[in-house]
């Protein structure tokens, strides 16, 4: 299968970057083709401008958007890896969704309602956050994050969400706690993509 990983974290030495490397390694171990789009390294411009909107309405999709849409078109599986900041997606990945998952490419509307133009693809999300997972579960944040991304982005466009891993207490775990995170990533990849 062809896997596209959309990655968003500014620090190359971060836990998120280690999770990216572990995900790529697990997929390649199972003989999958993997493409990584590191939004910070690409210096992806996340602001959906009036110029973007007018160009797209006229059928002239800006080149940077067109490139990303081609990667999505070619992918069988789309994986997002990013930290949770202020209860949501970092601005750069939110902007990626705003600009790339555009009307006419990822979804459309008609007499039948919403047409999911990315149907047939699968999706995986891997997130980290500093708050303990039990707290996020108790206040409904875990469920809210899953609804926002799994339903609001993936399912809305036809991508089948296969899993959403949320790892909490980042920065406060012991060595064994971090080891469990990497084990869970390996197990998730094996379960869904082996």
């Amino acid at each position: 299968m062809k896997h596209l990983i959309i990655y968003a974290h500014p620090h190359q030495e971060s836990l998120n970057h280690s999770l990216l490397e572990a995900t790529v390694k697990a997929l390649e171990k199972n003989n999958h083709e993997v493409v990584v789009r590191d939004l910070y390294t690409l210096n992806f411009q996340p602001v959906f401008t009036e110029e973007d909107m007018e160009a797209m309405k006229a059928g002239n999709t800006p080149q940077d958007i067109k490139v990303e849409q081609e990667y999505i078109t070619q992918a069988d599986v789309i994986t997002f890896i990013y930290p949770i900041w202020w209860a949501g997606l970092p601005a750069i990945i939110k902007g990626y969704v705003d600009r790339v998952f555009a009307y006419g490419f990822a979804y459309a509307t008609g007499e039948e309602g919403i047409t999911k133009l990315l149907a047939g693809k699968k999706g995986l999300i891997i997130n980290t956050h500093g708050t303990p997972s039990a707290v996020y579960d108790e206040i409904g944040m875990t469920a809210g994050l899953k609804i926002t991304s799994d339903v609001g982005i993936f399912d809305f466009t036809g991508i089948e969400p296969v899993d959403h891993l949320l790892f909490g207490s980042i920065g406060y775990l012991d060595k064994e706690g971090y080891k469990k995170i990497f084990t869970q990533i390996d197990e998730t990849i094996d379960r869904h993509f082996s």
Side-chain angles (χ1 to χ4, degrees):
M1 298 177 89
K2 293 183 177 181
H3 289 255
L4 173 64
I5 300 177
I6 309 301
Y7 171 72
H9 197 289
H11 299 299
Q12 295 297 312
E13 302 299 319
S14 67
L15 174 64
N16 274 260
H17 199 271
S18 295
L19 299 180
L20 168 65
E21 291 172 343
T23 303
V24 169
K25 184 177 177 183
L27 289 167
E28 289 177 343
K29 177 187 75 173
N30 285 307
N31 298 313
H32 295 288
E33 182 182 326
V34 182
V35 171
V36 175
R37 302 300 285 165
D38 180 335
L39 300 183
Y40 282 96
T41 299
L42 293 168
N43 197 26
F44 183 80
Q45 195 287 106
V47 178
F48 187 42
T49 65
E50 182 179 1
E51 291 80 15
D52 288 342
M53 193 176 291
E54 294 305 317
M56 293 169 93
K57 281 182 185 176
N60 301 316
T61 301
Q63 186 60 31
D64 64 330
I65 297 173
K66 200 180 295 187
V67 166
E68 300 307 318
Q69 289 177 343
E70 185 57 33
Y71 281 112
I72 290 171
T73 298
Q74 293 175 12
D76 299 306
V77 181
I78 299 164
T79 298
F80 284 174
I81 300 175
Y82 59 89
I84 299 299
W85 289 346
W86 289 101
L89 292 74
I92 199 165
I93 198 161
K94 176 62 168 71
Y96 180 94
V97 173
D98 290 348
R99 294 184 74 222
V100 177
F101 281 58
Y103 181 84
F105 170 74
Y107 70 99
T109 56
E111 291 180 18
E112 307 284 316
I114 300 295
T115 303
K116 300 176 179 194
L117 300 178
L118 299 179
K121 299 181 185 300
K122 296 183 182 302
L124 170 66
I125 300 174
I126 300 171
N127 294 141
T128 59
H129 53 84
T131 304
S133 294
V135 171
Y136 264 21
D137 292 349
E138 184 180 320
I139 65 173
M141 187 64 70
T142 301
L145 290 166
K146 288 183 176 185
I147 288 171
T148 300
S149 299
D150 298 5
V151 178
I153 298 170
F154 279 172
D155 184 64
F156 182 79
T157 60
I159 299 169
E160 176 194 346
V162 296
D163 217 328
H164 189 153
L165 305 176
L166 287 127
F167 299 113
S169 298
I170 301 307
Y172 306 100
L173 297 173
D174 59 16
K175 188 176 180 180
E176 191 59 33
Y178 289 108
K179 186 177 176 184
K180 285 180 183 177
I181 289 173
F182 290 94
T183 299
Q184 191 172 348
I185 286 177
D186 282 342
E187 290 172 351
T188 299
I189 299 297
D190 287 345
R191 182 169 57 253
H192 295 294
F193 308 116
S194 63

